[in-house]
Amino acid sequence: MESQRNILLIGLLFVSFLLWQQWQADKAPQAQAQTNVATQTVQHSTDVPESDASVPATVAVSKDLITVKTDQLDVKISPVGGDIVYAALLSHKLELGKDEPFVLLEQTPGFTYIAQSGLIGANGIDSVDGRAHFTAAKTEYVMTGDTLDVPLTYTAENGATFTKIFSFRKGEFDIGVDYRIHNTSAEPLKMQMYGQIKQTVRASDSSMMMPTYRGGAFSTEKERYEKYDFEEMAKANLKEETQGGWVAMLQHYFVSAWVPQANEQNILFTRESNGVANIGFRTPVFTVAPGATDNVAAKFYVGPKDQAALSALSPTLNLVVDYGFLWWLAVPIYKLLMFFQSIVGNWGVAIILITLTVRGALYPLTKAQYTSMAKMRNLQPKLQEMKERYGDDRQKMGQAMMELYKKEKVNPMGGCLPILLQMPIFIALYWVLLESVELRHAPFMLWINDLSVQDPYYVLPILMGVSMYVMQKMQPMAPTMDPMQVKMMQWMPVVFTVFFLWFPAGLVLYWLVGNLVAIIQQKIIYAQLEKKGLK
């Protein structure tokens, strides 16, 4: 009976957790319609951030794009401003089994998601009224070695030359953006670099089963990782001064992020207008002396939430893989999962191994749970006698019960501890499976081609329900159990089966294997208890 109640407790706690997550997601703003429908050409609105000094300006439009292809990225750069207006991730497909790459940055009718950067200030070449028009040696660049540099040049009216260099590396999703300024004028040039990510406000594809986040995030010296969603951007502009830091736009499995120099005192900012949100950074004002050459640089990442690659850019950028309040438990689970996968080469098998590890580690507590339950059942006749003896005198009844428990060495809470430990582990693993891009399009075997989505034939949820039914039959209902509670327990396997139909296959696999291991452990423990005379 206690075990059945524990199963019900797990279900109620997890459903409550998912409802809470969905309530959080529902607070996010809904996508807003674009007031101006974009054309097929790449356009730039007057959203260049204001400098720390007053600046002049003009609006410009470019139809010619510079294409850059590496082994990982297909990128298009606009000569106006040198903005990245398109980025496709060649090693990550839009759909399983198809060749079309996943497009993260793009500008289409009704939707904009691009990365902008420039030089602003008293002698900057970008402003709210116009952007610098760069020229390039060619319109298409293809990586043939380990690195590829794409230089864009611009000459100002005072004769100063500006070279904007995009640097790509083989196997990487980060792009170096480096401005080299050669001041041929007789006056010092004062300016500052900015980088921002511009995106049309769009609601996340979050659901109760897949509570994912879409919106902004940033990091400062004080706040290692902080979300700043579209609704917050609409309410108030962010302005944080920090050494180093980064800004990002997040969505399920993927991220775009600007990472300025770690040793600089940067300003992080946001703006939202007409359904378009910007999050970005500004560097301090710097001066290029007459006849001197200077440079300023930043990194731009556009790709999957690869924790190793993100950590290499900034020690806190990997936190965009958000495991929630149980991150301290999810991180070692993720590392253990990666370790198993590196050995077996199959994410499904790795999930099975981590399930066996968790269940094995909890076995002493599980054994203590069933032992405590067996002792409690054996004490039922004595507890019933106490109830008849003391009647409604709860104080004497409580004292007598505690003395009995102490005498028989029974912990009445012994059956709850394993459940309380398993629930955080389950939630942490749930977030690991939900957030780990490694599981996207990762096959298991047979019909399971993608562990990050639901079982297309619902075989795993049905098997999970059957395993719950078997576990229930191994636990006979107590004669004194309330009939309504009996009916609830009988329906639990059905309810859980329906509930798990839309869960990611990897999570259902974990639960199914966990149930099978629990059944085996249950039979072993029961056999040991029988030998000790505990029914």
Side-chain angles (χ1 to χ4, degrees):
M1 179 175 67
E2 290 85 353
S3 179
Q4 299 299 327
R5 287 175 178 169
N6 288 338
I7 294 174
L8 179 60
L9 177 63
I10 288 181
L12 292 176
L13 286 173
F14 190 63
V15 170
S16 300
F17 166 73
L18 290 176
L19 288 173
W20 177 77
Q21 291 290 342
Q22 187 59 36
W23 177 79
Q24 292 286 91
D26 289 342
K27 292 176 66 180
Q30 297 301 312
Q32 300 180 26
Q34 283 284 84
T35 53
N36 298 316
V37 177
T39 63
Q40 293 295 339
T41 61
V42 179
Q43 300 185 10
H44 301 270
S45 63
T46 58
D47 56 1
V48 174
E50 184 178 349
S51 171
D52 294 340
S54 58
V55 289
T58 47
V59 177
V61 176
S62 172
K63 297 180 181 179
D64 302 318
L65 299 178
I66 301 163
T67 301
V68 182
K69 289 187 178 180
T70 72
D71 60 326
Q72 296 288 359
L73 294 170
D74 180 1
V75 169
K76 297 185 188 302
I77 302 170
S78 171
V80 176
D83 297 336
I84 302 174
V85 296
Y86 176 89
L89 314 182
L90 301 179
S91 57
H92 293 263
K93 305 305 178 184
L94 179 63
E95 296 180 15
L96 183 66
K98 296 186 178 180
D99 292 331
E100 185 180 357
F102 183 88
V103 176
L104 189 56
L105 302 186
E106 61 180 333
Q107 180 150 314
T108 61
F111 182 71
T112 294
Y113 185 6
I114 61 176
Q116 299 178 306
S117 57
L119 297 175
I120 54 179
N123 304 111
I125 56 177
D126 300 287
S127 71
V128 293
D129 293 329
R131 311 289 305 284
H133 286 243
F134 289 94
T135 58
K138 49 187 179 180
T139 59
E140 185 171 347
Y141 293 81
V142 179
M143 177 178 284
T144 56
D146 292 335
T147 62
L148 173 64
D149 289 341
V150 179
L152 280 65
T153 58
Y154 171 76
T155 302
E157 292 182 0
N158 61 5
T161 58
F162 298 80
T163 305
K164 188 174 186 179
I165 303 172
F166 294 87
S167 301
F168 301 82
R169 295 179 298 166
K170 185 176 181 180
E172 303 296 336
F173 292 94
D174 58 277
I175 304 170
V177 181
D178 189 346
Y179 280 93
R180 297 179 186 175
I181 305 106
H182 180 46
N183 185 8
T184 57
S185 71
E187 301 293 331
L189 301 179
K190 293 185 177 182
M191 64 197 75
Q192 57 189 143
M193 180 183 179
Y194 82 93
Q196 67 181 11
I197 305 166
K198 173 182 175 182
Q199 182 177 178
T200 303
V201 174
R202 173 180 284 184
S204 171
D205 296 328
S206 179
S207 66
M208 182 175 177
M209 307 304 170
M210 300 281 283
T212 57
Y213 172 76
R214 187 181 189 111
F218 67 93
S219 176
T220 67
E221 291 176 289
K222 297 179 180 178
E223 298 289 342
R224 298 176 70 243
Y225 169 69
E226 188 73 22
K227 291 179 180 177
Y228 205 77
D229 61 34
F230 294 134
E231 186 176 14
E232 290 175 294
M233 293 182 193
K235 288 180 180 178
N237 292 333
L238 173 73
K239 187 175 181 180
E240 293 279 345
E241 185 172 350
T242 180
Q243 181 173 332
W246 52 260
V247 293
M249 285 285 191
L250 314 182
Q251 65 190 68
H252 195 200
Y253 294 132
F254 301 100
V255 58
S256 60
W258 277 108
V259 184
Q261 294 294 319
N263 59 346
E264 296 284 357
Q265 199 71 16
N266 302 301
I267 294 177
L268 312 184
F269 65 87
T270 64
R271 285 189 319 280
E272 193 277 343
S273 178
N274 297 323
V276 178
N278 295 272
I279 186 167
F281 75 92
R282 296 198 305 270
T283 68
V285 176
F286 62 95
T287 302
V288 183
T293 300
D294 203 351
N295 76 297
V296 60
K299 290 282 189 178
F300 179 69
Y301 183 91
V302 54
K305 292 180 180 178
D306 182 325
Q307 295 190 51
L310 294 170
S311 296
L313 289 179
S314 169
T316 60
L317 190 55
N318 65 310
L319 297 179
V320 299
V321 182
D322 190 355
Y323 294 136
F325 66 97
L326 290 173
W327 61 267
W328 51 272
L329 186 57
V331 169
I333 289 177
Y334 169 78
K335 291 182 178 179
L336 185 59
L337 186 65
M338 291 288 289
F339 171 73
F340 285 141
Q341 198 279 336
S342 67
I343 295 174
V344 298
N346 184 294
W347 286 103
V349 177
I351 291 172
I352 292 175
L353 291 176
I354 203 168
T355 307
L356 296 175
T357 302
V358 170
R359 290 288 181 174
L362 292 176
Y363 178 75
L365 290 174
T366 304
K367 184 177 180 180
Q369 173 191 9
Y370 284 110
T371 302
S372 177
M373 288 162 49
K375 289 181 178 180
M376 286 293 293
R377 280 194 294 269
N378 285 349
L379 292 179
Q380 287 301 314
K382 293 182 180 180
L383 292 173
Q384 186 63 31
E385 289 178 9
M386 287 182 183
K387 188 175 181 181
E388 294 173 358
R389 184 189 313 164
Y390 296 110
D392 295 331
D393 193 337
R394 295 184 178 180
Q395 184 175 357
K396 290 184 177 180
M397 178 67 179
Q399 291 175 350
M401 286 174 61
M402 294 307 295
E403 290 177 2
L404 180 63
Y405 292 151
K406 187 176 181 180
K407 178 182 177 182
E408 298 293 337
K409 297 181 180 180
V410 174
N411 180 4
M413 298 299 294
C416 299
L417 185 58
I419 300 300
L420 295 177
L421 287 175
Q422 288 179 49
M423 196 62 197
I425 292 173
F426 178 75
I427 294 175
L429 183 59
Y430 168 78
W431 278 112
V432 169
L433 299 180
L434 180 68
E435 281 286 296
S436 299
V437 67
E438 292 87 354
L439 268 70
R440 183 178 185 265
H441 296 171
F444 174 38
M445 61 175 59
L446 302 176
W447 70 96
I448 305 296
N449 297 318
D450 189 350
L451 288 164
S452 67
V453 299
Q454 67 190 53
D455 183 338
Y457 303 113
Y458 307 112
V459 175
L460 288 180
I462 292 173
L463 291 176
M464 189 278 303
V466 172
S467 67
M468 283 192 67
Y469 176 79
V470 172
M471 290 177 66
Q472 188 182 81
K473 286 302 179 182
M474 292 176 66
Q475 300 269 347
M477 301 294 181
T480 57
M481 195 172 183
D482 181 72
M484 181 59 70
Q485 191 175 4
V486 172
K487 288 184 179 180
M488 287 181 63
M489 293 301 177
Q490 290 173 342
W491 278 99
M492 281 299 290
V494 177
V495 172
F496 263 63
T497 300
V498 174
F499 195 63
F500 272 64
L501 290 176
W502 292 274
F503 266 54
L507 194 67
V508 183
L509 177 64
Y510 165 78
W511 193 279
L512 169 62
V513 175
N515 283 354
L516 296 177
V517 174
I519 290 172
I520 297 172
Q521 289 180 341
Q522 209 167 317
K523 291 185 70 69
I524 294 172
I525 294 170
Y526 282 172
Q528 294 174 345
L529 293 177
E530 288 285 344
K531 291 180 180 180
K532 296 180 180 180
L534 293 173
K535 300 293 183 180

